[in-house]
Amino acid sequence: MATERSDLAAMLGPIVRDLMAIELPILAAHEVSMWGYVVLNALDDTPVRTQSALAEAIGADKSRIIGTLDELQQAGLIERTPDPDDRRVRLLSITPQGRAMRRAVRKDIQAAELQVLDGLPAADRKTFLRLLQQLHASR
Amino acid sequence: MATERSDLAAMLGPIVRDLMAIELPILAAHEVSMWGYVVLNALDDTPVRTQSALAEAIGADKSRIIGTLDELQQAGLIERTPDPDDRRVRLLSITPQGRAMRRAVRKDIQAAELQVLDGLPAADRKTFLRLLQQLHASR
DNA sequence: TATTGTTATACTCTATAACTATA
DNA sequence: TATAGTTATAGAGTATAACAATA
């Protein structure tokens, strides 16, 4: 039976768990939470107008990200400015410091995270990365 | 700059989230919890003696899996028999019903889960799967 | 004294539903 | 009446430490 294999989640789960273990100390060193980093990435890559839109973009409930936004704003990494055209809305934007923080954290994370692919030969690591990027881009 | 890419976790996270959404209804239909299914897989693939060893194998604390083991045992999917050589230990084993359940759930999951790779051409899907299996086997 | 399995406690996350202010 | 943001509440999940039985 050639199709005997583990479930995708059973194979991907442990990798993601290892990635968390690698990233959490890095995030802590930069004094940013995991969700804070997710928000900075989202705002930097594809700016959104409202908090609802941001929540939807990162797969969270609008009520769940408020504490994260409070922290990021207090740290000067994002701004929430009232929308003059619709005073219910608070327009979101990443600040220059937020962008710098995002870049700094990402540099550290990307320098450390590839160790989870150590089980593959170098050529296969490149292929895996390429396919994963392709898959991610297609969403 | 050719190295511009998303973090591994940022690319893998959404895939794992999609997999969860696909698998949870299937598990519910079979009346098995996610951790219950993880335990059945672990016991079927690489039998372990003690509950501690099982917990370690699936990356959980020994206290965290007790409720899961209770449910599985009550459903007749696993057995916990006292070890005569060390009466602190309860020897774990999967039952024939447990094995059948595992196979049935796995069949359904594997029939549904590959849709998360739909963003890749068929040939690349095969390559990705092969590399992922290789990576998983190297752990 | 250390270990296995268990239970109890507290803590973190999250989902849900209210609430306000606007539209 | 509906929507954006916020707050409050309750529930699930988890980590940690304590415990009884055995080694």
Side-chain angles (χ1 to χ4, degrees), chain A residues 13-88:
Chain A
I15 296 175
V16 171
R17 192 164 56 197
D18 288 353
L19 284 171
M20 288 301 138
I22 290 170
E23 295 189 11
L24 284 179
I26 295 174
L27 291 165
H30 287 275
E31 295 181 59
V32 182
S33 71
M34 193 189 68
W35 284 110
Y37 181 55
V38 170
V39 167
L40 290 181
N41 277 315
L43 286 183
D44 200 16
D45 286 339
T46 57
V48 293
R49 258 174 36 85
T50 69
Q51 296 184 187
S52 291
L54 172 64
E56 160 120 41
I58 65 176
D61 189 86
K62 66 186 159 81
S63 71
R64 213 179 74 188
I65 63 173
I66 290 188
T68 301
L69 296 180
D70 290 345
E71 290 169 8
L72 291 174
Q73 184 176 25
Q74 189 147 12
L77 304 177
I78 68 166
E79 273 179 349
R80 281 194 276 196
T81 60
D83 182 351
D85 293 345
D86 182 344
R87 302 213 330 256
R88 293 173 303 181

Side-chain angles (χ1 to χ4, degrees), chain B residues 94-109:
Chain B
I94 188 171
T95 65
Q97 301 101 291
R99 235 179 285 270
M101 173 67 80
R102 188 254 178 135
R103 272 198 291 266
V105 174
R106 180 153 90 163
K107 183 159 170 269
D108 288 354
I109 284 181

Side-chain angles (χ1 to χ4, degrees), chain B:
Chain B
M1 34 198 142
T3 56
E4 191 95 348
R5 62 167 176 84
S6 298
D7 302 344
L8 287 183
M11 297 191 283
L12 291 174
I15 296 175
V16 170
R17 191 164 57 195
D18 287 353
L19 284 171
M20 288 302 138
I22 290 170
E23 295 189 11
L24 284 178
I26 295 174
L27 291 163
H30 288 276
E31 293 182 56
V32 183
S33 70
M34 192 189 70
W35 283 110
Y37 180 57
V38 169
V39 166
L40 290 180
N41 277 315
L43 285 183
D44 200 17
D45 286 337
T46 57
V48 293
R49 259 173 36 84
T50 69
Q51 296 185 187
S52 289
L54 172 65
E56 160 122 40
I58 64 177
D61 188 86
K62 66 186 159 84
S63 71
R64 214 179 73 187
I65 62 173
I66 291 188
T68 301
L69 295 180
D70 290 345
E71 290 170 8
L72 291 174
Q73 185 177 24
Q74 188 146 12
L77 303 177
I78 68 167
E79 273 179 349
R80 282 194 277 196
T81 61
D83 182 351
D85 294 345
D86 182 346
R87 303 213 326 258
R88 293 173 305 180
V89 170
R90 313 182 66 174
L91 295 167
L92 295 174
S93 58
I94 188 171
T95 65
Q97 301 101 291
R99 235 179 285 270
M101 173 67 80
R102 188 254 178 135
R103 272 198 291 266
V105 174
R106 180 153 90 163
K107 183 159 170 269
D108 288 354
I109 284 181
Q110 296 201 355
E113 67 182 4
L114 284 182
Q115 62 183 265
V116 302
L117 302 185
D118 278 354
L120 292 178
D124 288 342
R125 279 200 289 273
K126 281 190 67 173
T127 303
F128 185 85
L129 250 184
R130 180 176 58 76
L131 294 178
L132 183 56
Q133 283 179 258
Q134 198 174 332
L135 193 53
H136 183 246
S138 74
R139 294 175 58 89

